[in-house]
PDB file of all heavy atoms in Angstrom:
ATOM      1  N   GLY A  44     -17.695 -67.364 -67.260  1.00 95.00           N
ATOM      2  CA  GLY A  44     -16.968 -67.515 -65.993  1.00 95.00           C
ATOM      3  C   GLY A  44     -16.678 -69.001 -65.872  1.00 95.00           C
ATOM      4  O   GLY A  44     -17.382 -69.842 -66.444  1.00 95.00           O
ATOM      5  N   LYS A  45     -15.675 -69.301 -65.101  1.00 97.00           N
ATOM      6  CA  LYS A  45     -15.215 -70.701 -65.054  1.00 97.00           C
ATOM      7  C   LYS A  45     -16.101 -71.609 -64.214  1.00 97.00           C
ATOM      8  O   LYS A  45     -16.013 -72.808 -64.281  1.00 97.00           O
ATOM      9  CB  LYS A  45     -13.768 -70.726 -64.516  1.00 97.00           C
ATOM     10  CG  LYS A  45     -12.791 -70.003 -65.426  1.00 97.00           C
ATOM     11  CD  LYS A  45     -11.387 -69.980 -64.879  1.00 97.00           C
ATOM     12  CE  LYS A  45     -11.188 -69.033 -63.708  1.00 97.00           C
ATOM     13  NZ  LYS A  45     -11.480 -67.605 -63.984  1.00 97.00           N
ATOM     14  N   ARG A  48     -16.281 -72.352 -58.323  1.00 98.00           N
ATOM     15  CA  ARG A  48     -16.790 -72.570 -56.958  1.00 98.00           C
ATOM     16  C   ARG A  48     -17.890 -73.639 -56.922  1.00 98.00           C
ATOM     17  O   ARG A  48     -17.786 -74.592 -56.138  1.00 98.00           O
ATOM     18  CB  ARG A  48     -17.209 -71.231 -56.340  1.00 98.00           C
ATOM     19  CG  ARG A  48     -15.982 -70.343 -56.120  1.00 98.00           C
ATOM     20  CD  ARG A  48     -16.267 -68.853 -56.135  1.00 98.00           C
ATOM     21  NE  ARG A  48     -15.034 -68.070 -56.216  1.00 98.00           N
ATOM     22  CZ  ARG A  48     -14.385 -67.822 -57.362  1.00 98.00           C
ATOM     23  NH1 ARG A  48     -14.869 -68.279 -58.511  1.00 98.00           N
ATOM     24  NH2 ARG A  48     -13.263 -67.127 -57.376  1.00 98.00           N
ATOM     25  N   HIS A  77     -20.566 -64.999 -55.603  1.00 98.00           N
ATOM     26  CA  HIS A  77     -19.305 -64.686 -56.299  1.00 98.00           C
ATOM     27  C   HIS A  77     -19.545 -63.596 -57.362  1.00 98.00           C
ATOM     28  O   HIS A  77     -18.779 -62.621 -57.458  1.00 98.00           O
ATOM     29  CB  HIS A  77     -18.763 -65.980 -56.926  1.00 98.00           C
ATOM     30  CG  HIS A  77     -17.691 -65.784 -57.930  1.00 98.00           C
ATOM     31  ND1 HIS A  77     -16.501 -65.146 -57.636  1.00 98.00           N
ATOM     32  CD2 HIS A  77     -17.610 -66.132 -59.258  1.00 98.00           C
ATOM     33  CE1 HIS A  77     -15.739 -65.122 -58.720  1.00 98.00           C
ATOM     34  NE2 HIS A  77     -16.391 -65.690 -59.716  1.00 98.00           N
ATOM     35  N   SER A  80     -19.948 -60.181 -56.006  1.00 98.00           N
ATOM     36  CA  SER A  80     -18.681 -59.573 -55.574  1.00 98.00           C
ATOM     37  C   SER A  80     -17.923 -59.016 -56.783  1.00 98.00           C
ATOM     38  O   SER A  80     -17.272 -57.976 -56.687  1.00 98.00           O
ATOM     39  CB  SER A  80     -17.825 -60.572 -54.785  1.00 98.00           C
ATOM     40  OG  SER A  80     -17.093 -61.426 -55.642  1.00 98.00           O
ATOM     41  N   HIS A  83     -19.643 -55.650 -57.897  1.00 98.00           N
ATOM     42  CA  HIS A  83     -19.290 -54.547 -56.994  1.00 98.00           C
ATOM     43  C   HIS A  83     -17.798 -54.209 -57.074  1.00 98.00           C
ATOM     44  O   HIS A  83     -17.422 -53.042 -57.012  1.00 98.00           O
ATOM     45  CB  HIS A  83     -19.702 -54.890 -55.557  1.00 98.00           C
ATOM     46  CG  HIS A  83     -21.153 -54.660 -55.295  1.00 98.00           C
ATOM     47  ND1 HIS A  83     -21.724 -54.759 -54.052  1.00 98.00           N
ATOM     48  CD2 HIS A  83     -22.174 -54.330 -56.129  1.00 98.00           C
ATOM     49  CE1 HIS A  83     -23.022 -54.495 -54.126  1.00 98.00           C
ATOM     50  NE2 HIS A  83     -23.312 -54.246 -55.380  1.00 98.00           N
ATOM     51  N   ASP A  84     -16.970 -55.222 -57.231  1.00 98.00           N
ATOM     52  CA  ASP A  84     -15.527 -54.991 -57.312  1.00 98.00           C
ATOM     53  C   ASP A  84     -15.161 -54.142 -58.540  1.00 98.00           C
ATOM     54  O   ASP A  84     -14.183 -53.393 -58.520  1.00 98.00           O
ATOM     55  CB  ASP A  84     -14.802 -56.343 -57.384  1.00 98.00           C
ATOM     56  CG  ASP A  84     -13.325 -56.225 -57.057  1.00 98.00           C
ATOM     57  OD1 ASP A  84     -12.999 -55.604 -56.032  1.00 98.00           O
ATOM     58  OD2 ASP A  84     -12.498 -56.740 -57.830  1.00 98.00           O
ATOM     59  N   LEU A  89     -14.492 -48.869 -56.589  1.00 96.00           N
ATOM     60  CA  LEU A  89     -13.500 -49.906 -56.244  1.00 96.00           C
ATOM     61  C   LEU A  89     -12.477 -50.009 -57.378  1.00 96.00           C
ATOM     62  O   LEU A  89     -11.670 -49.115 -57.553  1.00 96.00           O
ATOM     63  CB  LEU A  89     -14.198 -51.226 -55.890  1.00 96.00           C
ATOM     64  CG  LEU A  89     -14.778 -51.125 -54.462  1.00 96.00           C
ATOM     65  CD1 LEU A  89     -16.266 -51.154 -54.465  1.00 96.00           C
ATOM     66  CD2 LEU A  89     -14.203 -52.168 -53.566  1.00 96.00           C
ATOM     67  N   ARG A  96     -15.476 -60.928 -67.733  1.00 95.00           N
ATOM     68  CA  ARG A  96     -15.967 -62.125 -68.421  1.00 95.00           C
ATOM     69  C   ARG A  96     -16.220 -61.841 -69.906  1.00 95.00           C
ATOM     70  O   ARG A  96     -17.207 -62.291 -70.502  1.00 95.00           O
ATOM     71  CB  ARG A  96     -17.258 -62.649 -67.758  1.00 95.00           C
ATOM     72  CG  ARG A  96     -17.009 -63.190 -66.349  1.00 95.00           C
ATOM     73  CD  ARG A  96     -18.268 -63.653 -65.656  1.00 95.00           C
ATOM     74  NE  ARG A  96     -17.981 -64.454 -64.471  1.00 95.00           N
ATOM     75  CZ  ARG A  96     -18.883 -64.836 -63.584  1.00 95.00           C
ATOM     76  NH1 ARG A  96     -20.143 -64.489 -63.710  1.00 95.00           N
ATOM     77  NH2 ARG A  96     -18.547 -65.568 -62.543  1.00 95.00           N
ATOM     78  N   MET A 178     -14.842 -62.936 -46.973  1.00 98.00           N
ATOM     79  CA  MET A 178     -14.560 -62.174 -48.197  1.00 98.00           C
ATOM     80  C   MET A 178     -14.595 -60.650 -48.007  1.00 98.00           C
ATOM     81  O   MET A 178     -13.656 -59.956 -48.408  1.00 98.00           O
ATOM     82  CB  MET A 178     -15.557 -62.579 -49.294  1.00 98.00           C
ATOM     83  CG  MET A 178     -15.321 -61.865 -50.611  1.00 98.00           C
ATOM     84  SD  MET A 178     -16.513 -62.328 -51.871  1.00 98.00           S
ATOM     85  CE  MET A 178     -17.964 -61.433 -51.351  1.00 98.00           C
ATOM     86  N   GLN A 182     -11.587 -57.928 -48.396  1.00 98.00           N
ATOM     87  CA  GLN A 182     -11.724 -56.827 -49.358  1.00 98.00           C
ATOM     88  C   GLN A 182     -11.514 -55.475 -48.668  1.00 98.00           C
ATOM     89  O   GLN A 182     -10.894 -54.568 -49.224  1.00 98.00           O
ATOM     90  CB  GLN A 182     -13.113 -56.914 -50.000  1.00 98.00           C
ATOM     91  CG  GLN A 182     -13.397 -55.865 -51.044  1.00 98.00           C
ATOM     92  CD  GLN A 182     -12.585 -56.059 -52.326  1.00 98.00           C
ATOM     93  OE1 GLN A 182     -11.853 -57.029 -52.466  1.00 98.00           O
ATOM     94  NE2 GLN A 182     -12.686 -55.121 -53.225  1.00 98.00           N
ATOM     95  N   THR A 206     -10.355 -64.006 -51.420  1.00 98.00           N
ATOM     96  CA  THR A 206     -10.480 -65.071 -52.418  1.00 98.00           C
ATOM     97  C   THR A 206     -10.707 -66.435 -51.761  1.00 98.00           C
ATOM     98  O   THR A 206     -11.574 -67.195 -52.185  1.00 98.00           O
ATOM     99  CB  THR A 206      -9.200 -65.132 -53.283  1.00 98.00           C
ATOM    100  OG1 THR A 206      -8.955 -63.818 -53.758  1.00 98.00           O
ATOM    101  CG2 THR A 206      -9.369 -66.090 -54.451  1.00 98.00           C
ATOM    102  N   PHE A 242      -5.000 -70.024 -56.068  1.00 98.00           N
ATOM    103  CA  PHE A 242      -5.882 -69.394 -57.063  1.00 98.00           C
ATOM    104  C   PHE A 242      -5.623 -67.888 -57.140  1.00 98.00           C
ATOM    105  O   PHE A 242      -5.550 -67.302 -58.213  1.00 98.00           O
ATOM    106  CB  PHE A 242      -7.342 -69.666 -56.678  1.00 98.00           C
ATOM    107  CG  PHE A 242      -8.326 -69.364 -57.776  1.00 98.00           C
ATOM    108  CD1 PHE A 242      -8.581 -70.301 -58.772  1.00 98.00           C
ATOM    109  CD2 PHE A 242      -8.983 -68.145 -57.828  1.00 98.00           C
ATOM    110  CE1 PHE A 242      -9.488 -70.017 -59.799  1.00 98.00           C
ATOM    111  CE2 PHE A 242      -9.884 -67.855 -58.845  1.00 98.00           C
ATOM    112  CZ  PHE A 242     -10.143 -68.797 -59.826  1.00 98.00           C
TER     113      PHE A 242
HETATM  114  C1  LIG B 401     -19.780 -54.430 -51.233  1.00 55.37           C
HETATM  115  C2  LIG B 401     -19.039 -52.383 -52.614  1.00 55.37           C
HETATM  116  C3  LIG B 401     -18.872 -53.810 -52.212  1.00 55.37           C
HETATM  117  C4  LIG B 401     -17.875 -54.520 -52.771  1.00 55.37           C
HETATM  118  C5  LIG B 401     -17.622 -55.916 -52.518  1.00 55.37           C
HETATM  119  C6  LIG B 401     -16.360 -58.322 -51.821  1.00 55.37           C
HETATM  120  C7  LIG B 401     -15.940 -57.617 -53.028  1.00 55.37           C
HETATM  121  C8  LIG B 401     -16.451 -56.284 -53.330  1.00 55.37           C
HETATM  122  C9  LIG B 401     -15.083 -58.133 -53.861  1.00 55.37           C
HETATM  123  C10 LIG B 401     -14.553 -59.481 -53.687  1.00 55.37           C
HETATM  124  C11 LIG B 401     -13.131 -59.521 -53.945  1.00 55.37           C
HETATM  125  C12 LIG B 401     -12.718 -60.150 -55.195  1.00 55.37           C
HETATM  126  C13 LIG B 401     -13.326 -59.775 -56.517  1.00 55.37           C
HETATM  127  C14 LIG B 401     -11.743 -61.036 -55.068  1.00 55.37           C
HETATM  128  C15 LIG B 401     -11.049 -61.645 -56.170  1.00 55.37           C
HETATM  129  C16 LIG B 401     -11.365 -63.069 -56.274  1.00 55.37           C
HETATM  130  C17 LIG B 401     -11.135 -63.548 -57.677  1.00 55.37           C
HETATM  131  C18 LIG B 401      -9.831 -64.146 -58.024  1.00 55.37           C
HETATM  132  C19 LIG B 401     -12.097 -63.410 -58.570  1.00 55.37           C
HETATM  133  C20 LIG B 401     -12.092 -63.977 -59.941  1.00 55.37           C
HETATM  134  O1  LIG B 401     -12.687 -65.262 -59.868  1.00 55.37           O
HETATM  135  P1  LIG B 401     -12.734 -66.236 -61.109  1.00 55.37           P
HETATM  136  O2  LIG B 401     -11.395 -66.253 -61.785  1.00 55.37           O
HETATM  137  O3  LIG B 401     -13.760 -65.474 -62.064  1.00 55.37           O
HETATM  138  O4  LIG B 401     -13.286 -67.530 -60.678  1.00 55.37           O
HETATM  139  P2  LIG B 401     -14.829 -66.104 -63.091  1.00 55.37           P
HETATM  140  O5  LIG B 401     -15.218 -64.943 -63.961  1.00 55.37           O
HETATM  141  O6  LIG B 401     -14.148 -67.206 -63.844  1.00 55.37           O
HETATM  142  O7  LIG B 401     -15.984 -66.585 -62.274  1.00 55.37           O
END
Side-chain angles (χ1 to χ4, degrees):
K45 297 178 287 300
R48 293 153 193 82
H77 166 59
S80 82
H83 280 187
D84 197 49
L89 283 113
R96 293 177 166 171
M178 181 181 76
Q182 181 70 4
T206 308
F242 194 83

